[in-house]
Amino acid sequence: MTVARFPQLAHWGAFTALVEDGRVVRCEPFARDPAPSNMLDAIPEMVHSPLRIARPAIREGWREGKERTGADRFREVSWEEALAAVASELARVRETFGHAAILGGSYGWSSAGRVHHARSLLRRFLFLGGGCVDQVANYSFGAAQYVLPRVIGTFQPVVGQVTDWSSIVKHARLILAFGGLATKNGQVTSGGAGAHTMETWLRRAKEAGIEFVSITPLRSDSPDFLGAQWVPIRPNTDTALMLAMMHTLLTEARYDTEFVARYCVGFEPFRRYLLGLDDAIAKDAQWAEAITGVGADTIRELARRAAATRSMITCAWSLQRAHHGEQPYWASIVLAAMLGGIGLPGGGFGFGHGSTNGIGVPRVDVAGPEVPLPLNPARAMIPVARIADMLLDPGASYAFNGRRYTFPDIRLVYWAGGNPFHHHQDLNRLQRAWQKPQTVIVHESWWTPTARHADIVLPATTTLERNDVGGSTRDTFVLAMHRAIDPIGDAKNDFDIFRALARHLGYESAFTEDRDEMAWCQWVYDQVRASATAKGVALPGFQQFWAEGFVELPPCERDYVLFEDFRRDPERHPLKTPSGRIEIVSEAVAGFDYADCPPHPTWIPPAEWLGSAAAQRWPIHLVTHQPASRLHAQMDPGPVSRRQKVAGREPVRINPQDAARRGIRSGDIVRLFNPRGACLAGAVVDADVMPGVVVMATGAWFDPADAAGEPERHGNPNVLTLDIGTSPLAQGTSALTALVEIERWDQPAPAVRVFTPPVVAAAG
Ligand SMILES: Nc1nc2c(c(=O)[nH]1)N[C@H]1C(S)=C(S)[C@@H](COP(=O)(O)OP(=O)(O)OC[C@H]3O[C@@H](n4cnc5c(=O)[nH]c(N)nc54)[C@H](O)[C@@H]3O)O[C@H]1N2
Ligand SMILES: Nc1nc2c(c(=O)[nH]1)N[C@H]1C(S)=C(S)[C@@H](COP(=O)(O)OP(=O)(O)OC[C@H]3O[C@@H](n4cnc5c(=O)[nH]c(N)nc54)[C@H](O)[C@@H]3O)O[C@H]1N2
Ligand SMILES: [Mo]
């Protein structure tokens, strides 16, 4: 049997697909990748899984308005019937209720290939058809996206324009990592990567003698080889720790007065706040010890060490996915300002060095592969994480980033490339909200929980079944993706589905711009090439790129240092803030008058935390972090993710003391619960977790209970998380703010059903 080989790409890395007899049998890592992800091993089984959606299907009871339970039956229909139903529903809703009755943002990661990026295609399709309610910001760093522009005039440092690792390795002596530097997260780059380099850079930094401090509730958030000092901290209290460090710097006269005077505005009111001159509460180390659980001596010692050397402060994105998540990021910038290292090689602040592959990787500033997006003529949007609020409360007024908006009245939801029944918080509430629209349309490759909550389900191909171009601005490779197998079942490319719908609706050529798949691949590559040419970098033509399967950008000539220009000459290179300086106090934010987002970094207790009154009844803080064995909910039914389940459920890590008190042992099935919901999970007793905290990865496929009072069966922690905005400034997700209780589950365990496809009746 001959084995055919095709270059391919996933968000978790580039690979060669080995195909035998029309089946993907193996995914061989890209030869240039120093640390490929074992998630690649999940692909062959998943591509050919019985969970693939084979044909278009319609939910039984849709026309009658029957409730969406996630356990409904479906009936297969022909593509003709499905496309006609979608086109006529879109036309009906647009005509009857207007464009703003359609929710089309369709948040989610979709595929690494950029031509077939489903979310981009859906937005393009809906915008050209009159527009829709779009979703702005994201779940990843939504709070940062709105607070950082107020403080430093841009949120670029969160997406990866930070001081390069090469500069850090040469010049930094100490790295304070809030949220740690979890190498599990380095498996992933949005858009995919040819090289996983997070571990390489961490090792180089270690070899260069840099010391690491990992401030996080979970010891394993930094790899053993770093030998990091672990400072366990109560979740959501980093702002208090940072404030106390600043208090120490201030009262011990260890801060950079010149930097603060020359490059910042608003220090004086902030100084008064630190000292407690107006509220009689000094934000000193003793004060912070009571909040954070970190000893006062440790806090003072951290401040002194950081001030005595070239230090880099980096925060994981997780810190800002919490109630008042704007505050720790703002505080970390002010802390870095007081330390005086901003704009110096290896110093200052950064975000996400441990959150995703490619942050801080030296790379020439060339555009990544992308397709163009037209404007949304409906000019309607919501902050992405406010979806349930919107569906439950149409017409309600809400505050966001200094303005007031009204929630639209949604009749039709269209999703392609995302999984809200994975990503959203308080899923029982989302399930209630999800009953509001008359019609839900979903394109998916698999029977995910979101597909099971749809009325019209259209089967989408996977990247293996089509040609594409992928890559990201955080990686030095642009990658060709060759179609390796025929579409599974009757699956179609999202591009072809939208093209057919656009034809129905009379705007096919506007949608395609008269390009087919390969013409778009070439167009996307040519954009990257043109951008490279403008930077003096010569890349080969498309034919050569396609035949070789990748191109590599040349190394950078010099290290990038964030705000180097600003530091050298703040008059000629001001920040894009109103003052042109770092805004310790933002007058703009002051003008919004938000109790939950004051004008300078402030400790405001989150709605739920270990120091709150609710912790008497709900004594455990639930941290829901990114999974080591999959990307979000993708490939959860595959072998890599399944292998790490405990008793068939998602593992929950619990400290030995907390476990012993509850009679919980490793391997037990446990129930986590709070007033929002309950789920089962498999216990892993783990001293790496600090007491009072349990850690569960997101992404176990949602397996809702049959009856009220029963737990979700599989371990989707989003039945427990809190669905409120970070603050009216950013309205980001507060996913990491949640208190729970946990107990051993001694009853017979209900079966997990979600890895079996729903009942789908054949057409006819
Ligand atoms: N509690 C808690 N919740 C969280 C987080 C947390 O930290 N804690 N993190 C949040 C974050 S940061 C994020 S980014 C979100 C992630 O949330 P999502 O991005 O929604 O999660 P994915 O599982 O990646 O969903 C992508 C879906 O797109 C589908 N897909 C892939 N390729 C294609 C394609 O070509 N066509 C079509 N039609 N579909 C395709 C996949 O099968 C998959 O079901 O989750 C958020 N949720
Ligand atoms: N393998 C894998 N990698 C991924 C992803 C994936 O699904 N799988 N998803 C990608 C995506 S979409 C994103 S947005 C990034 C997210 O990147 P991050 O947000 O950095 O990732 P998390 O794993 O959620 O959080 C990192 C660690 O922060 C710690 N932490 C949680 N709350 C707090 C707190 O309040 N204070 C402190 N100090 N620490 C806290 C937790 O112990 C957690 O392990 O990851 C990306 N990388
Ligand atoms: Mo994310």
Side-chain angles (χ1 to χ4, degrees):
M1 179 77 55
T2 50
V3 177
R5 302 168 60 85
F6 303 90
Q8 267 287 343
L9 177 69
H11 293 292
W12 49 95
F15 61 97
T16 303
L18 272 51
V19 175
E20 244 180 60
D21 204 13
R23 288 182 73 88
V24 180
V25 291
R26 208 167 92 74
C27 296
E28 188 180 284
F30 182 48
R32 301 285 301 280
D33 191 342
S37 167
N38 70 351
M39 289 183 210
L40 291 176
D41 297 340
I43 293 177
E45 191 180 311
M46 284 303 290
V47 165
H48 300 284
S49 159
L51 285 163
R52 283 295 298 268
I53 302 168
R55 276 165 284 281
I58 289 184
R59 189 176 66 93
E60 290 185 359
W62 161 46
R63 298 277 189 197
E64 297 76 36
K66 184 179 158 277
E67 191 187 341
R68 300 176 182 94
T69 65
D72 298 335
R73 297 162 54 96
F74 289 80
R75 182 174 56 81
E76 286 180 347
V77 296
S78 67
W79 268 108
E80 269 172 352
E81 186 181 340
L83 292 173
V86 172
S88 73
E89 266 307 278
L90 280 169
R92 180 186 71 83
V93 171
R94 286 197 193 284
E95 274 158 34
T96 323
F97 303 103
H99 304 302
I102 297 172
L103 176 66
S106 153
Y107 180 81
W109 268 45
S110 309
S111 75
R114 298 289 103 164
V115 169
H116 288 287
H117 188 253
R119 182 183 191 215
S120 306
L121 291 170
L122 172 62
R123 292 166 89 205
R124 186 177 166 78
F125 166 71
L126 289 177
F127 293 177
L128 290 169
C132 65
V133 174
D134 193 16
Q135 291 160 314
V136 298
N138 60 40
Y139 281 80
S140 310
F141 46 76
Q145 194 171 333
Y146 290 92
V147 72
L148 291 196
R150 303 291 174 187
V151 182
I152 52 173
T154 172
F155 67 90
Q156 280 305 316
V158 184
V159 268
Q161 265 202 0
V162 288
T163 300
D164 285 345
W165 271 115
S166 43
S167 171
I168 295 177
V169 166
K170 277 178 254 170
H171 302 282
R173 304 311 306 150
L174 173 70
I175 295 182
L176 297 184
F178 288 86
L181 294 157
T183 46
K184 70 175 173 61
N185 289 346
Q187 296 178 79
V188 166
T189 315
S190 177
H196 292 88
T197 53
M198 183 198 284
E199 195 174 321
T200 313
W201 283 112
L202 288 176
R203 285 187 188 275
R204 277 191 210 167
K206 179 67 187 170
E207 279 158 23
I210 298 176
E211 291 177 29
F212 289 84
V213 181
S214 182
I215 303 153
T216 149
L218 180 64
R219 186 209 298 267
S220 47
D221 276 336
S222 57
D224 288 341
F225 67 78
L226 284 185
Q229 175 191 352
W230 180 34
V231 176
I233 184 169
R234 282 173 160 183
N236 299 186
T237 66
D238 302 80
T239 306
L241 181 72
M242 294 174 190
L243 290 170
M245 286 175 69
M246 291 188 262
H247 184 276
T248 302
L249 297 176
L250 176 66
T251 53
E252 297 184 0
R254 292 177 197 267
Y255 76 102
D256 190 331
T257 49
E258 261 172 67
F259 186 90
V260 168
R262 178 137 192 240
Y263 300 98
C264 304
V265 294
F267 187 66
E268 182 47 27
F270 183 66
R271 188 186 72 88
R272 297 185 64 84
Y273 171 71
L274 284 181
L275 296 174
L277 298 184
D278 303 311
D279 62 359
I281 302 170
K283 312 307 173 299
D284 60 13
Q286 218 68 50
W287 166 84
E289 174 176 320
I291 294 169
T292 60
V294 181
D297 289 343
T298 305
I299 297 174
R300 280 187 290 259
E301 139 89 3
L302 282 178
R304 290 172 196 147
R305 270 174 77 196
T309 189
R310 180 66 54 83
S311 48
M312 165 65 75
I313 311 277
T314 181
C315 295
W317 293 345
S318 57
L319 265 73
Q320 49 84 66
R321 286 202 305 284
H323 195 207
H324 304 134
E326 294 87 354
Q327 301 307 314
Y329 268 39
W330 200 340
S332 71
I333 294 169
V334 181
L335 174 58
M338 288 181 72
L339 291 169
I342 296 173
L344 295 181
F349 64 88
F351 301 105
H353 284 100
S355 297
T356 199
N357 181 61
I359 301 279
V361 167
R363 181 190 185 275
V364 281
D365 187 17
V366 165
E370 250 172 54
V371 289
L373 192 64
L375 288 177
N376 176 15
R379 301 169 69 97
M381 61 85 209
I382 55 161
V384 64
R386 301 279 50 84
I387 178 172
D389 290 357
M390 169 191 71
L391 292 174
L392 289 168
D393 212 357
S397 158
Y398 68 100
F400 172 43
N401 197 25
R403 296 181 58 183
R404 289 206 75 80
Y405 298 88
T406 304
F407 283 127
D409 189 355
I410 297 297
R411 306 299 169 120
L412 185 151
V413 169
Y414 204 143
W415 225 285
N419 189 352
F421 280 92
H422 150 62
H423 67 229
H424 196 59
Q425 285 56 66
D426 198 348
L427 287 179
N428 294 320
R429 180 171 187 256
L430 180 68
Q431 211 177 31
R432 291 192 295 278
W434 201 253
Q435 308 307 329
K436 167 72 176 47
Q438 296 164 328
T439 301
V440 176
I441 304 162
V442 168
H443 298 192
E444 251 296 346
S445 305
W446 291 277
W447 282 107
T448 62
T450 296
R452 292 172 207 232
H453 281 87
D455 301 316
I456 307 176
V457 181
L458 303 181
T461 54
T462 68
T463 54
L464 278 298
E465 296 144 62
R466 60 204 189 203
N467 296 303
D468 213 328
V469 175
S472 113
T473 51
R474 298 190 193 120
D475 182 53
T476 49
F477 293 91
V478 184
L479 296 136
M481 303 164 70
H482 291 192
R483 172 173 161 152
I485 56 169
D486 289 339
I488 299 289
D490 286 346
K492 284 187 192 294
N493 301 335
D494 298 282
F495 178 83
D496 294 318
I497 301 173
F498 290 127
R499 179 190 5 216
L501 288 170
R503 186 184 313 139
H504 260 279
L505 295 163
Y507 59 95
E508 179 180 4
S509 142
F511 177 75
T512 61
E513 295 185 14
D514 299 321
R515 286 186 201 101
D516 63 8
E517 180 185 64
M518 281 316 289
W520 271 111
C521 287
Q522 170 147 8
W523 187 89
V524 162
Y525 178 77
D526 285 345
Q527 300 298 304
V528 177
R529 189 169 176 229
S531 160
T533 308
K535 295 271 154 81
V537 174
L539 296 184
F542 178 75
Q543 298 310 329
Q544 189 184 337
F545 156 72
W546 191 255
E548 288 173 359
F550 68 92
V551 293
E552 186 180 11
L553 299 172
C556 284
E557 276 165 21
R558 60 187 303 271
D559 299 338
Y560 177 76
V561 174
L562 180 67
F563 295 151
E564 192 178 26
D565 292 349
F566 168 64
R567 178 161 195 136
R568 197 178 339 101
D569 189 344
E571 316 305 329
R572 283 191 50 205
H573 300 281
L575 301 185
K576 294 189 187 76
T577 53
S579 62
R581 302 287 192 268
I582 296 170
E583 304 222 332
I584 298 175
V585 167
S586 162
E587 292 302 334
V589 173
F592 303 155
D593 198 20
Y594 294 148
D596 285 316
C597 192
H600 60 65
T602 302
W603 162 250
I604 327 166
E608 295 178 14
W609 68 294
L610 289 173
S612 60
Q616 300 291 326
R617 174 66 189 92
W618 309 103
I620 301 283
H621 196 119
L622 169 69
V623 167
T624 50
H625 70 170
Q626 307 297 313
S629 60
R630 54 181 180 257
L631 172 65
H632 313 137
Q634 294 190 43
M635 311 269 148
D636 185 40
V640 181
S641 177
R642 263 194 349 255
R643 228 178 281 137
Q644 53 75 52
K645 303 263 172 185
V646 173
R649 335 266 146 173
E650 190 62 22
V652 58
R653 296 181 184 274
I654 179 168
N655 177 274
Q657 291 171 25
D658 292 320
R661 203 168 300 139
R662 293 167 177 79
I664 293 170
R665 284 158 315 182
S666 284
D668 285 349
I669 295 182
V670 292
R671 185 176 82 110
L672 289 87
F673 58 105
N674 68 15
R676 292 179 287 276
C679 70
L680 299 183
V684 177
V685 178
D686 184 352
D688 278 355
V689 182
M690 71 181 272
V693 171
V694 296
V695 179
M696 244 176 122
T698 61
W701 279 21
F702 180 50
D703 198 337
D706 286 337
E710 287 176 13
E712 189 275 343
R713 297 174 169 212
H714 185 206
N716 186 319
N718 270 332
V719 296
L720 300 159
T721 51
L722 182 63
D723 184 14
I724 58 171
T726 50
S727 88
L729 188 82
Q731 293 287 8
T733 175
S734 297
L736 286 148
T737 300
L739 290 177
V740 300
E741 180 52 289
I742 177 168
E743 65 182 15
R744 210 176 58 219
W745 176 263
D746 290 325
Q747 304 169 39
V752 172
R753 301 156 297 192
V754 71
F755 288 168
T756 311
V759 178
V760 184

